[in-house]
Amino acid sequence: MGLFDRLKSLMGQDGGKGKARAEAPAVLPPALTSEKEQQILKDGSLGERKALAARTDARPEVLYYLADDASPQVRQIIASNPSTPIHADEKLAADEDDEVRLELARKIARLVPGLAPGEQTAIRERAIDVLEALAADQLPKVRAIIADEIKTSPNVPKPMVDKLARDIEDMVAAPILEYSPLLNDDDLREIIAAGASSAALSAIARRAIVSEGVSDDIAATLDIPAIAALLTNQNAQIREATLDQIIDQAKGVEALHQPLAMRPQLSIRAMKRIAGFVASALVHAMVDGSALTEADAEALLDRVRERLAGERVGEDEEAKLYKTALDLYERGAINDQFVHQQIESGRRELLIQCLALASDLPVATIRRIIHSKSGRAVTALAWRAQLVMRTAYELQVKFALVPSAQLLHPKDGRTYPIDADELDWHLSYFLDQP
């Protein structure tokens, strides 16, 4: 496929919806004569010139002439026309109108990566020159279009990729940093060392393959979004020592709790450390997604239960939580959806206060039930709070960390499996305790 044919195919993907086409061009004859072209160039209306500029069968010299048209709308169409000769594109690369250069960037950036070395060599080299000029354009949007189109290509100049990867605008640098196969570890580590932005660091952390050295450098920046992206990336290689450093930093950074807990193939040592500070729902998810034996999983959950049982807020904080819970209760906001949100968000103390109000039981009783390891007791609490069985099951699994052998499963996937009398009996055991 030749240069113009390739461009026609590529530009056809836009459906002809460029900004310059908002005003309908005039209708020209199906076949153009040179006399008609000359007449339009000499004294044609704007609509006729736009229509001529869009014709892929117009003579190259006509399209070149229109590249100097006084109307930026005409020049935009020329810039997007796949039949426009390369010497006209070279001129348009320096056009004063931003939209003209944006249209040209879309076209050229799609063309060059598909041109193999040696394919119409002279034209390819000139097209690359145009691409490089646009990659250095003063308008970030132009550079961003180039970056997005060439981000996965191995057939573009490495110096241009290096420059785009170091662009001060995140929308330009990020696609290159995340996808370009031309960037090696040395390039990436140099960019990180130079003080890359958070968005740039996150883009590097999301690459298809991240080496241990690059992971070390990202972790050393202490940039939370980038470290979260690194942990989420299953193909990122992270040394055990680096993971230990991240765990140390994550204790007081809630944004890292879920990425850490969801990190695949964690060692039991790392899991124990993470379980020391993340929410119970995350501990459950971490254990559920691991290859731990049942004994190891239960031992880990026991440690978490001990931690949670010993956690308390101060009197002032507890009073604030009670006031918040009371307001929610009076507004009728303590429902199944609310409980689910609190479990997933790790708002443990607020949920305990809310369950106490919804069930009309003392907070101390709620705590005893939650720490009892009894699936039936937790289910009875949910029933007393007028929650559905599915919520009761979630409270068992993610909030109370009930052992799997003690879980009470929904009947038919949705209803309480035991009757009201038995549920009430399980609650009475805890009500009788001091």
Side-chain angles (χ1 to χ4, degrees):
M1 184 182 291
L3 176 66
F4 292 150
D5 289 335
R6 188 189 306 275
L7 275 171
K8 289 176 187 177
S9 173
L10 287 167
M11 295 306 295
Q13 298 170 9
D14 282 348
K17 295 182 180 178
K19 187 174 179 180
R21 297 171 179 76
E23 180 184 337
V27 177
L28 299 181
L32 286 176
T33 63
S34 60
E35 290 77 11
K36 181 61 176 176
E37 290 175 336
Q38 289 299 323
Q39 180 268 316
I40 294 173
L41 293 179
K42 182 178 180 182
D43 53 18
S45 66
L46 174 60
E48 289 177 321
R49 300 198 315 277
K50 289 172 66 176
L52 181 57
R55 294 289 288 257
T56 57
D57 60 344
R59 289 179 297 152
E61 56 267 32
V62 171
L63 298 177
Y64 179 79
Y65 184 89
L66 287 172
D68 283 323
D69 195 278
S71 169
Q73 293 183 19
V74 173
R75 301 198 306 277
Q76 287 172 39
I77 297 174
I78 287 294
S80 66
N81 191 331
S83 294
T84 297
I86 191 65
H87 49 291
D89 289 335
E90 291 169 335
K91 180 183 295 186
L92 293 170
D95 197 282
E96 63 181 14
D97 187 89
D98 293 345
E99 293 299 325
V100 172
R101 301 195 311 280
L102 285 167
E103 289 289 343
L104 182 63
R106 292 186 184 98
K107 180 179 73 175
I108 292 295
R110 293 175 185 178
L111 166 69
V112 172
L115 291 176
E119 181 177 346
Q120 301 186 35
T121 303
I123 293 179
R124 181 181 186 276
E125 289 177 356
R126 293 176 72 175
I128 287 175
D129 288 342
V130 173
L131 185 69
E132 290 181 325
L134 293 168
D137 195 276
Q138 63 180 358
L139 187 68
K141 285 176 64 178
V142 173
R143 305 196 304 274
I145 287 173
I146 300 297
D148 191 61
E149 290 291 346
I150 70 167
K151 61 188 178 186
T152 60
S153 175
N155 297 324
V156 292
K158 176 67 160 56
M160 181 176 65
V161 168
D162 289 338
K163 186 173 182 180
L164 290 171
R166 291 165 174 78
D167 199 284
I168 60 172
E169 297 288 343
D170 291 334
M171 66 177 177
V172 178
I176 298 293
L177 291 171
E178 183 172 351
Y179 295 106
S180 180
L182 299 180
L183 296 176
N184 57 38
D185 276 8
D186 290 340
D187 297 323
L188 298 171
R189 300 188 73 174
E190 182 181 316
I191 290 169
I192 295 170
S197 69
S198 179
L201 291 170
S202 296
I204 295 172
R206 291 191 298 268
R207 285 179 69 87
I209 297 177
V210 182
S211 70
E212 290 181 340
V214 172
S215 293
D216 290 346
D217 291 351
I218 292 174
T221 68
L222 303 182
D223 185 272
I224 303 305
I227 294 173
L230 186 71
L231 292 168
T232 305
N233 185 349
Q234 297 188 15
N235 294 322
Q237 302 169 29
I238 305 177
R239 295 183 225 270
E240 192 72 19
T242 303
L243 187 62
D244 280 342
Q245 293 171 8
I246 294 173
I247 293 172
D248 287 339
Q249 298 156 7
K251 291 180 181 178
V253 183
E254 191 172 342
L256 292 179
H257 289 189
Q258 182 169 353
L260 263 175
M262 296 297 97
R263 178 74 187 166
Q265 298 180 331
L266 289 168
S267 67
I268 182 63
R269 175 176 167 275
M271 292 177 69
K272 286 178 179 178
R273 296 193 64 204
I274 294 167
F277 56 85
V278 302
S280 56
L282 287 177
V283 175
H284 165 74
M286 180 172 63
V287 172
D288 195 47
S290 70
L292 292 179
T293 65
E294 186 173 344
D296 284 341
E298 187 56 31
L300 180 60
L301 291 177
D302 264 339
R303 292 185 58 173
V304 179
R305 293 184 193 105
E306 291 174 9
R307 169 175 69 88
L308 295 175
E311 286 182 350
R312 289 289 188 278
V313 295
E315 291 184 6
D316 291 343
E317 181 64 21
E318 187 168 8
K320 290 179 182 178
L321 290 171
Y322 171 76
K323 185 177 180 181
T324 300
L326 183 61
D327 177 64
L328 290 164
Y329 177 70
E330 290 176 344
R331 290 191 286 111
I334 303 175
N335 53 29
D336 293 277
Q337 182 180 5
F338 172 82
V339 171
H340 171 78
Q341 290 171 345
Q342 305 318 298
I343 293 172
E344 294 299 326
S345 302
R347 300 188 185 100
R348 189 174 186 83
E349 291 298 319
L350 176 60
L351 183 51
I352 287 174
Q353 296 288 338
C354 289
L355 289 172
L357 289 168
S359 62
D360 193 24
L361 295 173
V363 169
T365 300
I366 303 299
R367 292 189 191 280
R368 285 197 297 272
I369 292 172
I370 292 299
H371 299 311
S372 69
K373 298 186 184 181
S374 170
R376 291 175 180 267
V378 175
T379 300
L381 170 61
W383 168 75
R384 176 77 171 248
Q386 299 184 25
L387 301 171
V388 301
M389 182 56 201
R390 287 182 178 175
T391 305
Y393 186 76
E394 191 163 321
L395 280 168
Q396 293 178 74
V397 173
K398 296 183 178 181
F399 192 64
L401 298 178
V402 172
S404 57
Q406 300 298 322
L407 289 173
L408 192 62
H409 295 269
K411 181 181 180 182
D412 301 325
R414 53 192 172 84
T415 59
Y416 279 87
I418 52 180
D419 61 27
D421 288 340
E422 186 174 350
L423 289 165
D424 205 31
W425 181 85
H426 284 291
L427 280 178
S428 67
Y429 172 81
F430 292 91
L431 291 173
D432 292 340
Q433 295 183 30

